[in-house]
């Protein structure tokens, strides 16, 4: 062991050895760190040793050693921190195939299940916690499931990068460069996939390329920003009509959850090693949820929108647009302030930064003026100019903010106290109504169709008369033998009667490879991908030594399995903007559940 440590030390460059000697007087720590560095590409060594030295000074030996150890462990994973989207997909496919091989080696479910969980442990991921063996098999033989799990693993590496000082305004704002490179790679991969596929209407033969659909959907940041701004403006107008007052709040985490100081970017000596996910959990579970419960007990009505965005070191904070009755304003603020300041209330700067309140001034442009910048800087950077949090141009920092939210699984914009946005989007899919349909829900449809969100909120205020999503349960397109559900229309309340079901997604679409010169005959011969799976159910009676493939072992029908494996969930038609697949004609409705 000592010989290996000495060899690892000798393998480092003189510059890195000198930096380690300057960082720590502990000879054993130097040799131990050298062993970790030798498992990591040399291009990271300078940054790692610099971060290690800073953490030793600011946080002590234990936390500094833990941070560099975690980074070293991440480089031992099956998927490299610098992996592209294609490499992650390849690793997911190999893992799914390995799971199939494991299953075919065992005669009983118990042995196969234990072997599958051992496979998950080798990949350092949590296995699916399900009692149903068929569901475990469905997931661990799914490339999609493995890809999602492998991507989530990067959160551990990102947390270590934060602790090592790789994430702050003077290094890489919001998230590490490695994480942002993976995000860009995934965006390129998605764009390539969308350009090679098309959606085809089974009844009419109409075809639309998926990249065109994406351009007109909410996956386009410009469309998403436009919809959020329409909602903010409508919420404010609705609040004005009913006499509510607008407040703009900012809630941040205690100092111990910030890895770096805001100005200099140097290590925060109070940092306790928490991750952005821990910080978001603190804001949600320790501040917002108990405050909301208290407000409910006090009978205080309020509504608005929450925006979550990163500090330069990746720690989240919230901006909240809140509307409340003037007579309840003081009590609402007192309750929110209490829970926001409950942890570490006496630390320096807490009273100035942890809970900020601004009364919305109409002379300054109203609620839209207060939140427009925060919405844009977390989507596309339109009109932001310089992002003072990161020091970069808004157009540069906005994609990093989006990548940060996806890295940690945060929902950037969250309305509260308002009706479901799903109904608004479903209504906007409709181009026109018949007279009978107009009589049922014409007013709320017209408000949505014309973009009058304030009128939509007013018409949806009465819960007894509020439209609701209509769900349909169907066979899962991802996990055979299981059920999933999707929105297919609207449930419309009727006085003194049962709700009327109105279908907004009556057309059947298939996702296919585009018939281009590059694909030629292969595209025309490819099986379509639909929401419907026609293969047989799982038959978990395979035995070791079978000459059948993994798919045949569990279905008994090889051809059905091949067809099923090529199917994917149909991309939903975009709910925003005027587009052939986004604004349905009346002929697309089934007409079977509503009066003509």
């Amino acid at each position: 062991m000592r010989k290996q440590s000495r060899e690892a030390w000798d393998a480092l460059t003189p510059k890195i050895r000198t930096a380690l000697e300057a960082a720590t007087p502990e000879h054993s720590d130097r040799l131990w760190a050298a062993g970790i560095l030798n498992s990591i590409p040399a291009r990271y060594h300078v940054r790692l040793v610099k971060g290690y030295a800073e953490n030793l000074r600011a946080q002590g030996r234990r936390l500094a050693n833990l941070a560099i150890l975690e980074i070293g462990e991440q480089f031992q994973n099956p998927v490299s921190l610098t992996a592209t989207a294609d490499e992650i997909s390849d690793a997911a496919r190999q893992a799914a195939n390995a799971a199939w091989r494991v299953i075919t080696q065992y005669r009983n479910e118990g042995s196969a299940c234990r072997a599958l969980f051992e496979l998950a442990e080798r990949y350092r991921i949590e296995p699916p916690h399900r009692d149903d063996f068929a569901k475990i098999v469905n997931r661990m033989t799914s490339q999609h499931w493995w890809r999602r799990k492998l991507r989530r693993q990067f959160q551990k590496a990102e947390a270590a990068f934060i602790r090592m000082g790789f994430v702050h305004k003077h290094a890489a704002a919001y998230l590490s460069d490695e994480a942002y490179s993976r995000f860009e790679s995934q965006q390129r991969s998605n764009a390539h996939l969308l350009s090679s596929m098309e959606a085809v209407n089974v009844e009419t033969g109409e075809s639309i390329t998926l990249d065109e659909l994406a351009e007109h959907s909410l996956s386009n940041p410009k469309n998403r920003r436009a919809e959020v701004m329409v909602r903010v403006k409508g919420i404010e107008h609705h609040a004005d009509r009913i006499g509510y007052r607008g407040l703009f709040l900012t809630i941040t985490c205690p100092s111990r959850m910030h890895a770096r100081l805001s100005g200099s970017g140097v290590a925060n000596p109070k940092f306790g090693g928490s991750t952005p996910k821990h910080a978001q959990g603190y804001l949600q579970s320790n501040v917002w949820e108990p405050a909301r419960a208290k407000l409910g007990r006090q009978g205080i009505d309020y509504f608005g929108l929450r925006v979550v965005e990163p500090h330069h070191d990746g720690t989240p904070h919230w901006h909240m647009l809140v509307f409340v009755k003037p007579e309840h304003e003081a009590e609402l603020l007192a309750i929110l302030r209490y829970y926001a300041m409950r942890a570490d209330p006496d630390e320096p700067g807490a009273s100035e930064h942890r809970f900020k309140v601004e009364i919305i001034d109409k002379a300054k442009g109203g609620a839209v003026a207060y939140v427009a910048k925060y919405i844009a800087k977390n989507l596309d950077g339109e009109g932001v100019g310089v992002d003072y949090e990161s020091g970069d141009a808004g157009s540069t920092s906005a994609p990093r903010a989006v990548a940060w939210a996806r890295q940690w699984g945060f929902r950037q914009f969250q309305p509260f106290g308002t009706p479901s946005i799903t109904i608004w989007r479903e209504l906007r899919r409709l181009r026109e109504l018949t007279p009978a349909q107009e009589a049922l829900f014409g007013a709320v449809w017209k408000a949505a169709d014309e973009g009058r969100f304030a009128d939509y909120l007013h018409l949806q205020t009465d819960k007894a008369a509020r439209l609701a999503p209509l769900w349909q349960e169907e066979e899962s397109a991802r996990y055979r033998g299981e059920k999933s559900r999707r929105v297919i229309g609207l449930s419309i309340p009727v006085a003194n009667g049962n709700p009327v079901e109105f279908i907004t997604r009556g057309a059947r679409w298939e996702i296919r490879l585009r018939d281009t010169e590059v694909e030629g005959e292969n595209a025309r011969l490819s099986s379509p991908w639909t929401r419907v799976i026609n293969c047989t159910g799982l038959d978990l009676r395979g035995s070791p030594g079978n000459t059948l493939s993994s798919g045949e072992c569990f279905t008994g029908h090889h051809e059905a399995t091949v067809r099923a494996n090529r199917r994917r969930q149909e991309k939903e038609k975009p709910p925003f903007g005027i587009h052939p697949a986004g604004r349905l004609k009346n002929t697309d409705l089934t007409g079977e559940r509503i009066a003509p």
Side-chain angles (χ1 to χ4, degrees), residues 198-451:
E198 64 181 359
V200 179
N201 188 307
V202 175
E203 287 82 16
T204 67
E206 176 188 15
S207 64
I208 308 166
T209 61
L210 294 193
D211 53 355
E212 186 182 0
L213 284 174
E215 180 67 22
H216 290 82
S217 76
L218 292 178
S219 61
N220 183 332
K222 292 184 177 180
N223 292 345
R224 191 177 178 204
R225 174 168 51 83
E227 189 200 61
V228 175
M229 295 301 292
V230 166
R231 291 164 67 182
V232 169
K233 188 175 181 180
I235 289 172
E236 183 180 29
H237 286 177
H238 177 64
D240 290 342
R241 289 176 180 175
I242 61 178
Y244 279 43
R245 192 174 185 185
L247 306 169
F248 184 70
L249 313 178
T250 301
I251 304 176
T252 61
C253 295
S255 176
R256 57 183 166 83
M257 294 186 174
H258 295 265
R260 298 275 143 174
L261 300 181
S262 59
S264 62
V266 301
N268 177 14
K270 297 181 179 179
F271 181 54
S274 62
T275 68
K277 205 170 191 70
H278 294 145
Q280 176 74 354
Y282 162 82
L283 292 171
Q284 182 70 34
S285 302
N286 291 49
V287 179
W288 179 239
E289 289 180 358
R292 194 171 66 174
K294 181 68 176 291
L295 291 168
R297 291 193 298 271
Q298 298 299 106
I300 297 176
D301 184 50
Y302 59 94
F303 54 87
L305 179 78
R306 182 218 72 193
V307 180
V308 58
E309 68 170 6
H311 284 295
H312 70 111
D313 62 356
T315 305
H317 63 281
W318 289 8
H319 297 292
M320 300 182 71
L321 189 64
V322 182
F323 294 93
V324 64
K325 292 180 180 179
E327 59 267 29
H328 291 157
E329 177 187 326
E331 190 174 3
L332 177 139
L333 291 176
I335 291 172
L336 286 173
R337 181 180 286 107
Y338 168 77
Y339 287 104
M341 300 293 295
R342 188 167 51 164
D344 305 330
D346 299 324
E347 66 180 4
S351 58
E352 294 86 3
H353 303 294
R354 294 267 295 280
F355 186 75
K356 295 181 179 179
V357 180
E358 294 182 65
I359 306 299
I360 291 179
D361 186 353
K362 295 290 184 182
K364 295 181 179 179
V368 173
Y370 281 81
V371 301
K373 177 181 71 174
Y374 299 105
I375 292 171
K377 70 182 286 190
N378 286 282
L379 284 176
D380 59 0
E382 180 71 23
V384 171
V386 176
D387 174 19
Y388 294 105
E389 183 67 36
S390 67
D392 298 324
S395 57
T396 301
S397 65
R400 296 187 73 94
V402 174
W404 168 84
R406 295 191 184 174
Q407 167 73 55
W408 294 105
F410 296 157
R411 186 172 180 178
Q412 291 174 287
F413 309 104
Q414 176 68 59
F416 52 88
T418 57
S420 169
I421 193 62
T422 300
I423 302 301
W424 166 269
R425 291 170 178 167
E426 289 301 306
L427 289 169
R428 286 181 60 82
R429 294 170 61 85
L430 307 176
R431 174 184 284 181
E432 58 188 6
L433 301 180
T434 65
Q437 295 161 1
E438 283 266 10
L440 273 176
F441 63 100
V444 68
W445 166 74
K446 190 167 293 184
D449 185 63
E450 296 174 359

